[in-house]
Amino acid sequence: MSFAEGAAALAGEGPLWRRLRNMIMRKLGIATGLGILILSTGFLLASSTNFLSAADCGNVPAPGLDWSKCSKTNIMLQSSDLHGANLAGAHFDSTDLSDADLTSANLDKATLVRAWLKNAKADGANFKKIEAYRSDFSNASLNGASFANAELQRAEFDSAQLANADFQKAELGRADFNKAVLSDVNFSFANLSRATLSGAVIKGQISLSGAFMYLTRIEGLDLSNAAGLQQAQLNLACGDNSTKLPSWLKAPAVWPCPPDDPDDKD
């Protein structure tokens, strides 16, 4: 290379400088392109994952679908087939699930505040730890269903089928079980304060071990085969002369209780 060419290269001119500059730009271009490609691929993968998660919540009701943690509040889902569906942590507040098929569905920790489940088929369903204040389960088939640790204050179970249902440690204050069929139901350590069991049909044995029965209405109920029932519980409850008790227990002198104040039911 001549002196002139070297001087031109140092000054940023001439073919040598241009070759060097082009070589550097090509390498930078390749590296930049790869970086952009990697970032774009990662973005697309993340976007598609989010899309798929959102798409699950948008799916129409179907057996076995996954609506876990989805929001389905204030909508009409009557007669929907959700057999075996994963509904854990989903929100169904004020939603109409009347006549729906929830057989073996998983509703663990779901919210169903003021929801309607009239005539629903929910045998073997998992309702553990649900929040279902003032919800309506009337005439529902709930055989083998679990409501353990559920919040069910003022819930309606009128005429429901509850063979082998589990209400361990459930909050059932003012819940209504009028005409419900209770066969081998577990109320162990449940809060049954002011709940209405009067009018329920007792078949087999029910467990009341450790249940809190403050002003629980048990008028006319056959508790002769109740497991775990103690005198202290009866002293808090509200029965009458037609309430049948195990032979080792006796009706408290304060029976019958006065009627509930209608104003307290709001």
Side-chain angles (χ1 to χ4, degrees):
M1 180 177 63
S2 66
F3 176 80
E5 288 176 330
L10 290 173
E13 299 176 357
L16 181 60
W17 170 253
R18 285 196 297 271
R19 287 197 299 271
L20 180 61
R21 182 182 60 190
N22 291 339
M23 180 179 67
I24 293 172
M25 291 301 294
R26 282 196 299 271
K27 290 184 177 180
L28 287 175
I30 292 171
T32 304
L34 285 173
I36 293 172
L37 179 61
I38 292 170
L39 289 173
S40 300
T41 303
F43 176 78
L44 288 172
L45 287 173
S47 299
S48 62
T49 300
N50 292 335
F51 175 76
L52 288 173
S53 297
D56 287 343
C57 292
N59 286 346
V60 297
L65 93 170
D66 186 357
W67 272 355
S68 56
K69 298 183 180 180
C70 294
S71 179
K72 298 292 176 180
T73 61
N74 295 291
I75 60 176
M76 312 295 278
L77 292 171
Q78 307 102 309
S79 304
S80 296
D81 189 351
L82 294 166
H83 182 115
N86 181 13
L87 311 173
H91 301 282
F92 293 100
D93 300 332
S94 300
T95 289
D96 193 346
L97 287 159
S98 301
D99 298 291
D101 187 350
L102 293 164
T103 305
S104 300
N106 178 22
L107 292 101
D108 184 64
K109 297 181 181 178
T111 60
L112 296 117
V113 178
R114 295 180 181 271
W116 290 271
L117 291 95
K118 292 182 179 180
N119 307 307
K121 298 176 182 178
D123 295 333
N126 177 13
F127 292 101
K128 291 179 181 178
K129 299 182 181 180
I130 64 168
E131 294 182 21
Y133 314 108
R134 292 184 179 273
S135 290
D136 191 347
F137 295 87
S138 58
N139 205 44
S141 184
L142 300 162
N143 298 315
S146 177
F147 292 90
N149 296 284
E151 300 282 346
L152 294 159
Q153 291 89 335
R154 299 178 185 267
E156 180 68 57
F157 290 94
D158 185 274
S159 302
Q161 301 294 314
L162 289 161
N164 299 296
D166 185 7
F167 288 95
Q168 287 187 77
K169 299 182 181 179
E171 292 290 334
L172 290 159
R174 291 193 180 277
D176 190 353
F177 290 89
N178 181 48
K179 297 181 181 178
V181 180
L182 307 177
S183 176
D184 298 309
V185 174
N186 189 355
F187 287 114
S188 296
F189 300 99
N191 178 9
L192 289 164
S193 59
R194 295 183 181 271
T196 299
L197 296 176
S198 300
V201 179
I202 305 293
K203 294 183 179 181
Q205 186 181 71
I206 66 171
S207 176
L208 292 166
S209 179
F212 184 55
M213 298 177 64
Y214 176 70
L215 299 182
T216 304
R217 311 304 302 205
I218 55 174
E219 293 92 345
L221 209 61
D222 185 356
L223 296 175
S224 56
N225 291 318
L229 186 60
Q230 302 293 323
Q231 187 65 49
Q233 293 168 293
L234 291 177
N235 294 343
L236 293 173
C238 292
D240 59 14
N241 293 334
S242 61
T243 303
K244 296 181 181 180
L245 302 173
S247 58
W248 60 90
L249 300 176
K250 61 181 181 179
V254 295
W255 285 6
C257 298
D260 274 341
D261 186 346
D263 294 333
D264 290 340
K265 294 184 177 182
D266 296 331

